[in-house]
Amino acid sequence: MDRLPSGGVARLLLSALLLPLRVGSAACPCQDPTLCNPITTTRDFEILVFDVGGKTWKFYNWTQITTVATFGKYDPELMCYAHSKGSRVVLKGEVSVKAIVDPAVRAAWINQKVELAKTQYMDGINIDIEQEVNKFSAEYYALTALVKETTEAFHKEIPGSQVTFDVAWSPECIDGRCYNYTGIADSCDFVFVMSYDEQSQVWSECIARANAPYNQTLAGYDNYIRLGINPKKLVMGVPWYGYDYTCLDLSKDHVCSISKTPFRGAPCSDAAGRQVPYKKIMNQENSSLSGILWDEEQKAPFLEYKDSHGAFHQVWFDDPRSISLKAAYAKDRALRGVGMWNADCLDYSGSSVAQEQTQAMWEALKPN
């Protein structure tokens, strides 16, 4: 691809944003027209669900859900059903941080998202930006401004709407994301803390570890709160997937050495493994060498197996036991709520075993 001249990315994006919005009819798609009204109520404990498309949403536990962030194709049937349950449905928002340094690009992007939400009868937006940003750079200030201006626009144009922002598991410049976390949290309704992929940058020994170790996860929230962020502005994100690592060597005491796969300056990362949904991991249990084991230090389950080529694998994941421990912390620290990435990682096939496993994962989100 030819390199755009200076400012070319911003101009190209601005041109695209200023094109007329081309979405479906503005007529309410619900049989009951009142279901196209925005959700304006707020519940005491947030359960934020990420949906990545398809129809598995029909089998979600809707008694718990407060918000669905739609990261798949827009589904008017999902919107109508969610509203019938009193649950918000919000857009996904992403944009180049370099482009939004230009206030005109920011304004155009925000206007487009507001109009899209109105046309699709949605209740806000979840901003998911995970790009590298240097502290006190132009992008640092522009990103904070984007969140503030987006929140103001949505709240004005859609009564009761919700604007949220996804942040890393810790505010310590994870993966080069040196954002103005206090400014962002102050500017939106709440932040969703992505407490997973916590091995994205490994500076120590290259071995397989838990996706979201208990103490490491909790330290991230302690750091956010120490910055002065109100716990009621924090929603804990948990993973409904794990990582499958091929072991270069697997010791008798379950230490799995992995290949060195650098990421954003770190010599090792979870990129040495591959993401696996919870439903697939559960199907591996019976054929594994180990069954499900428990690491007390990381408070996380794992299993080991040998593939058809004779290579040993170690799979780290979260289950109802590990998630319940974290959800209990969310309650004890009076966080805004809990959510997961993503709801489509479970087995909704209807078999008795799958139903039991799926129900347990949903129930683990809400602390007793």
Side-chain angles (χ1 to χ4, degrees):
M1 180 182 291
D2 292 335
R3 185 179 180 85
L4 289 169
S6 177
V9 173
R11 288 196 296 273
L12 188 61
L13 180 58
L14 180 58
S15 298
L17 291 171
L18 291 175
L19 289 173
L21 192 62
R22 298 183 185 275
V23 292
S25 169
C28 176
C30 308
Q31 287 188 335
D32 178 357
T34 64
L35 295 179
C36 283
N37 295 332
I39 301 297
T40 57
T41 56
T42 300
R43 288 183 244 179
D44 292 337
F45 195 80
E46 179 80 25
I47 299 290
L48 175 60
V49 173
F50 286 87
D51 177 271
V52 297
K55 292 293 184 180
T56 56
W57 59 263
K58 294 183 177 183
F59 306 99
Y60 294 170
N61 186 341
W62 286 95
T63 64
Q64 295 181 231
I65 299 170
T66 58
T67 302
V68 179
T70 55
F71 277 40
K73 184 179 179 182
Y74 172 65
D75 185 346
E77 187 184 7
L78 167 58
M79 181 277 294
C80 297
Y81 190 81
H83 281 187
S84 76
K85 299 297 183 180
S87 304
R88 286 184 171 86
V89 182
V90 300
L91 298 169
K92 174 186 179 180
E94 58 181 341
V95 65
S96 163
V97 292
K98 293 187 181 299
I100 59 170
V101 171
D102 184 341
V105 172
R106 284 203 308 273
W109 184 86
I110 293 167
N111 180 67
Q112 185 193 58
K113 294 302 179 185
V114 168
E115 291 306 312
L116 181 60
K118 285 182 177 180
T119 306
Q120 296 181 343
Y121 301 98
M122 299 180 84
D123 308 284
I125 188 169
N126 172 259
I127 304 174
D128 182 54
I129 293 175
E130 302 179 31
Q131 300 156 46
E132 291 181 80
V133 169
N134 293 324
K135 191 172 287 188
F136 307 129
S137 64
E139 291 83 6
Y140 173 91
Y141 293 107
L143 184 57
T144 309
L146 176 79
V147 177
K148 182 176 185 293
E149 292 161 10
T150 301
T151 304
E152 290 172 349
F154 268 85
H155 285 181
K156 178 182 177 182
E157 296 294 329
I158 304 175
S161 60
Q162 177 178 279
V163 177
T164 58
F165 188 90
D166 300 335
V167 298
W169 63 268
S170 171
E172 305 297 312
C173 288
I174 302 301
D175 301 339
R177 287 176 275 173
C178 302
Y179 302 167
N180 177 8
Y181 290 106
T182 54
I184 288 171
D186 286 344
S187 298
C188 64
D189 292 296
F190 62 81
V191 296
F192 178 82
V193 185
M194 297 180 286
S195 297
Y196 38 79
D197 298 344
E198 294 181 26
Q199 311 306 331
S200 61
Q201 290 181 301
V202 177
W203 303 93
S204 56
E205 191 177 5
C206 292
I207 60 174
R209 294 179 174 86
N211 187 9
Y214 180 77
N215 289 328
Q216 185 173 332
T217 295
L218 270 51
Y221 291 93
D222 291 342
N223 288 338
Y224 277 114
I225 294 169
R226 200 173 294 121
L227 287 177
I229 296 175
N230 187 330
K232 287 298 182 186
K233 286 273 191 169
L234 301 171
V235 168
M236 172 184 283
V238 297
W240 275 5
Y241 67 95
Y243 276 88
D244 182 328
Y245 294 97
T246 301
C247 304
L248 301 178
D249 179 70
L250 180 61
S251 71
K252 291 182 179 179
D253 54 353
H254 306 292
V255 176
C256 169
S257 301
I258 59 176
S259 61
K260 291 186 177 182
T261 307
F263 182 71
R264 294 186 181 176
C268 297
S269 73
D270 52 21
R274 59 186 178 88
Q275 292 186 3
V276 189
Y278 182 75
K279 58 187 174 185
K280 184 173 182 180
I281 297 169
M282 289 299 95
N283 288 335
Q284 285 183 306
E285 179 184 359
N286 291 335
S287 61
S288 68
L289 299 172
S290 61
I292 295 178
L293 303 172
W294 179 262
D295 184 283
E296 183 57 33
E297 181 182 353
Q298 300 181 84
K299 291 184 171 34
F302 66 100
L303 61 79
E304 295 164 350
Y305 72 93
K306 183 187 285 189
D307 66 24
S308 59
H309 301 289
F312 289 100
H313 291 245
Q314 195 172 73
V315 183
W316 288 89
F317 57 101
D318 275 78
D319 66 0
R321 181 181 178 184
S322 64
I323 291 171
S324 294
L325 292 171
K326 294 166 188 169
Y329 170 89
K331 180 181 179 181
D332 291 343
R333 293 304 300 265
L335 302 189
R336 178 72 167 261
V338 178
M340 95 297 289
W341 178 266
N342 66 70
D344 302 300
C345 288
L346 303 186
D347 185 348
Y348 299 100
S349 64
S351 73
S352 58
V353 173
Q355 284 182 341
E356 183 178 339
Q357 292 171 348
T358 296
Q359 181 181 352
M361 288 291 275
W362 279 101
E363 290 179 351
L365 295 175
K366 199 159 189 178
N368 297 324

